[in-house]
């Protein structure tokens, strides 16, 4: 089964899916592997791996080690074309559609496409949208783009619809790693009501109820990263996945 088919099955059967993001620059490799090993029993539906810079080398080895530790699909969430590995199951093939920086809209994609084809890595075409979280994020700095204002759902709706019309099956509403405020629930609801594609939501989600509220608003997939970078929080992984899976109102 392709990763795309797996994710659509998760969405259909569980109402929404839970992605655990592991950043090689923010966690020790041993902790990443240890947490990956517990992902399946804790109800994680996919592991995302990526970083805005990738200071730590050994990306390939790390992906391989994660794959050895878990049966859960491992998806690259790349900060740049340096983050590609044949050991992953798929890659989020992102276009930063909230911005107007041509390199992040299509430049990096042109450079990485032949490499991805060569290693036969599955691509999940995703419209990536930065949403203002009240402070300057790594993604904004690295991409030199402006996020969509958090009180302008109409811009978010139109941008997500453009992703759908461009043939992208996923749109990612991103408040930024460690965001002070996650993507507003109203904006998620407005976007979900307006488009027919899967909506991924991440950035600044630190409580299970914040994840649940966003699933209730219609998000198809919830991403958490920052919160689980601290070992003392690892025991809450099951609570987060339960919140995502029970969140959708019937
Ligand atoms: C960041 O959306 C992801 O790209 C996850 O955000 O690290 O804040 O959970 P956090």
């Amino acid at each position: 089964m392709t990763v795309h088919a797996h994710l659509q099955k998760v969405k259909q059967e569980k109402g929404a899916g839970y992605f655990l993001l592991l950043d090689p620059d923010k966690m020790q490799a041993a902790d990443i592997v240890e947490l990956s090993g517990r992902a399946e029993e804790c109800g994680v539906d996919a592991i995302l791996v990526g970083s805005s810079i990738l200071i730590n080398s050994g990306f390939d080895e790390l992906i391989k080690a994660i794959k050895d530790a878990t049966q859960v699909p491992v998806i690259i969430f790349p900060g740049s074309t340096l983050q590609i590995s044949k050991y992953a199951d798929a890659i989020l093939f992102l276009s930063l559609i909230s911005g107007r920086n041509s390199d992040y809209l299509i430049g990096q994609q042109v450079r990485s496409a032949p490499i991805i084809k060569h290693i036969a890595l599955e691509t999940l075409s995703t419209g990536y949208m930065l949403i203002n979280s009240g402070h300057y994020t790594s993604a904004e700095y690295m991409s030199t783009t402006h996020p969509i204002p958090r009180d302008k759902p109409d811009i978010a709706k139109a941008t997500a619809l453009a992703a759908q019309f461009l043939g992208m099956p996923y749109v990612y509403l991103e408040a930024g790693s460690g965001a002070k405020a996650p993507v507003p629930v109203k904006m998620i609801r407005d976007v979900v009501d307006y488009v027919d594609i899967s909506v991924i939501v991440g950035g600044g989600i630190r409580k299970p109820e914040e994840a649940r509220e966003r699933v209730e608003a219609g998000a198809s997939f919830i991403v958490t990263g920052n919160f689980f970078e601290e070992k003392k929080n690892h025991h809450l992984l099951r609570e987060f996945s339960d919140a995502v899976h029970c969140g959708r109102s019937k």
Side-chain angles (χ1 to χ4, degrees):
M1 187 190 286
T2 63
V3 174
H4 175 64
H6 166 76
L7 297 181
Q8 294 308 308
K9 189 164 175 264
V10 164
K11 184 176 151 180
Q12 204 174 18
E13 292 178 356
K14 299 184 183 176
Y18 179 45
F19 296 167
L20 175 66
L21 169 63
L22 301 171
D23 182 336
D25 282 347
K26 305 246 185 81
M27 290 172 80
Q28 299 290 328
D31 292 338
I32 288 182
V33 173
E34 194 266 334
L35 195 54
S36 304
R38 292 172 39 201
E40 194 171 17
E41 71 192 50
C42 290
V44 172
D45 297 299
I47 291 175
L48 302 186
V49 188
S51 165
S52 35
I53 300 193
L54 198 64
I55 292 171
N56 292 331
S57 54
F59 191 68
D60 248 357
E61 292 74 14
L62 180 66
I63 299 279
K64 197 168 183 304
I66 296 171
K67 277 296 297 170
D68 289 343
T70 184
Q71 297 293 315
V72 168
V74 176
I75 304 171
I76 297 171
F77 176 32
S80 74
T81 52
L82 298 174
Q83 296 167 39
I84 298 174
S85 170
K86 64 181 176 191
Y87 298 112
D89 296 300
I91 186 167
L92 292 186
F93 200 71
L94 305 168
S95 179
L96 181 53
I97 56 172
S98 59
R100 299 296 178 267
N101 178 339
S102 61
D103 192 41
Y104 283 83
L105 275 166
I106 187 63
Q108 303 248 345
Q109 295 78 355
V110 170
R111 286 194 289 281
S112 60
I115 304 167
I116 291 170
K117 180 177 168 68
H118 182 70
I119 61 175
L121 188 59
E122 180 182 345
T123 49
L124 303 169
S125 175
T126 305
Y128 193 50
M129 295 168 52
L130 301 183
I131 311 299
N132 194 302
S133 61
H135 77 301
Y136 199 41
T137 64
S138 301
E140 286 165 52
Y141 179 79
M142 295 303 291
S143 65
T144 61
T145 64
H146 298 298
I148 294 174
R150 51 193 294 114
D151 61 346
K152 302 288 182 205
D154 285 355
I155 299 177
K157 285 165 60 177
T159 308
L161 189 61
Q164 177 179 323
F165 289 169
L166 283 165
M168 297 169 170
Y170 300 91
V171 69
Y172 190 144
L173 305 185
E174 170 71 272
S177 183
K180 287 198 178 94
V183 177
V185 167
K186 180 186 179 328
M187 181 181 276
I188 296 167
R189 189 171 292 119
D190 286 352
V191 169
V192 168
D193 287 348
Y194 200 61
V195 302
D196 302 317
I197 57 178
S198 297
V199 176
I200 305 170
V201 176
I205 297 172
R206 288 184 197 81
K207 295 179 189 152
E209 50 272 34
E210 289 173 334
R212 184 182 296 113
E213 283 165 8
R214 282 157 182 79
V215 173
E216 283 169 355
S220 297
F221 300 98
I222 298 291
V223 184
T224 65
N226 218 260
F227 184 77
F228 289 103
E229 282 158 19
E230 296 202 41
K231 267 182 127 168
K232 66 176 170 56
N233 294 334
H234 286 190
H235 69 285
L236 293 169
L237 195 53
R238 163 58 72 181
E239 214 178 303
F240 264 85
S241 66
D242 284 350
V244 171
H245 297 139
C246 300
R248 174 97 52 184
S249 359
K250 296 280 182 296

